[in-house]
Amino acid sequence: MYASKADFNLSVGHWGALDGSNEWQDCDSVVVFGLPTMPSAWAVCRYAALQGGVDTDWLASSHRPFVDHKDIRSALRSGQTDIQIIQAINRIRCRKVVDSEGNCLPSDIFILLPTGDQGDQRIETIKKAMPGIKVRDWVIEGLSAKTKTKGMQHKGSKGQTSILNYLANVPVGSYSASLLRKDIKISKSTLSRFQRTLDDIHSETRKTLLGFNVVFHKGGFGRGSDCVYEKRE
């Protein structure tokens, strides 16, 4: 999604139709929602095309070392995601040189990334591809972590941030509350507190979810019922 502050024009693009485009070269800001992820079969086909066929043991393994990579299948998929992110970012005016030192006009880039090593690695890759870029946290209303008097992060707030980051980056599909708890490793009480905030249709948390194209379906009554988060295109 691309926007120009000068006249508040808004333009929308999507993964698969961005690379090399000059359509947004005068925009001063880019907001990236969601990350492109190639299917596992893509990485297998790419590797096999360049290195030769692979056997069943290679396909079944979770450890496929190649040169400096512990698992080349994962490395190929991750690398392709990095390439597409950098391509998307550089569709705006930061791609245009404005002086003899190679500088560009000020540009703002907003991107949602997973927490932990995966997100940190994405940032380092972007910094390497775009020397001199300044990185800071993107504070979104409703996601700011509250702190206790001793400076420790409030568990409920941290859990809420983890849930929203997870839902912002998952592919299109349906995710049960129990699956979400297992993937993020949060307690049942933390998720329950989060889901109670969604009962208010005017809550900032609910609005944030809708911004991620995520719809919350509350579970029914009775044992075994489960809430579902539906990520839409």
Side-chain angles (χ1 to χ4, degrees):
M1 184 177 291
Y2 302 81
S4 174
K5 293 178 181 176
D7 51 14
F8 297 98
N9 287 337
L10 180 69
S11 180
V12 179
H14 60 83
W15 299 115
L18 302 175
D19 294 6
S21 175
N22 293 321
E23 181 178 349
W24 306 284
Q25 62 181 333
D26 296 319
C27 293
D28 58 14
S29 303
V30 55
V31 181
V32 181
F33 280 109
L35 301 180
T37 304
M38 300 300 290
S40 295
W42 173 88
V44 174
C45 292
R46 179 62 61 93
Y47 180 83
L50 296 173
Q51 296 295 320
V54 296
D55 57 24
T56 302
D57 290 339
W58 189 93
L59 290 171
S61 176
S62 59
H63 184 67
R64 311 171 188 87
F66 182 78
V67 190
D68 295 330
H69 302 291
K70 293 181 179 179
D71 181 35
I72 187 60
R73 187 173 179 176
S74 298
L76 284 170
R77 295 180 71 199
S78 180
Q80 184 64 18
T81 297
D82 290 337
I83 290 171
Q84 290 182 266
I85 290 172
I86 293 167
Q87 274 282 338
I89 289 173
N90 284 279
R91 294 309 92 212
I92 63 172
R93 70 183 188 183
C94 60
R95 65 186 301 214
K96 298 168 66 176
V97 176
V98 296
D99 60 30
S100 60
E101 296 181 356
N103 294 313
C104 65
L105 292 173
S107 306
D108 292 323
I109 301 162
F110 301 89
I111 182 170
L112 293 168
L113 293 172
T115 57
D117 292 342
Q118 186 180 2
D120 293 341
Q121 183 59 49
R122 296 258 184 262
I123 292 174
E124 290 305 313
T125 301
I126 293 171
K127 289 167 65 177
K128 185 176 180 180
M130 303 176 68
I133 192 172
K134 297 178 181 178
V135 179
R136 59 177 180 267
D137 289 339
W138 178 14
V139 180
I140 304 175
E141 186 178 355
L143 291 184
S144 299
K146 297 180 180 178
T147 57
K148 294 182 178 180
T149 54
K150 292 185 179 180
M152 298 297 290
Q153 193 174 44
H154 188 275
K155 290 184 178 180
S157 181
K158 182 179 180 180
Q160 174 176 298
T161 302
S162 298
I163 294 168
L164 289 172
N165 282 336
Y166 175 88
L167 293 171
N169 291 288
V170 292
V172 173
S174 296
Y175 301 85
S176 67
S178 55
L179 175 63
L180 189 148
R181 278 204 309 119
K182 181 180 178 181
D183 285 351
I184 306 178
K185 295 180 174 58
I186 57 174
S187 67
K188 189 173 183 178
S189 59
T190 296
L191 184 57
S192 295
R193 284 195 299 271
F194 174 80
Q195 290 178 167
R196 282 197 295 271
T197 67
L198 302 179
D199 291 337
D200 179 5
I201 61 174
H202 301 295
S203 71
E204 290 300 323
T205 305
R206 191 180 181 107
K207 291 177 183 177
T208 301
L209 275 189
L210 291 175
F212 299 154
N213 288 332
V214 174
V215 178
F216 174 66
H217 301 284
K218 196 167 185 178
F221 296 97
R223 189 173 183 179
S225 61
D226 204 354
C227 298
V228 173
Y229 296 84
E230 180 187 358
K231 181 69 171 285
R232 298 177 177 177
E233 294 184 354

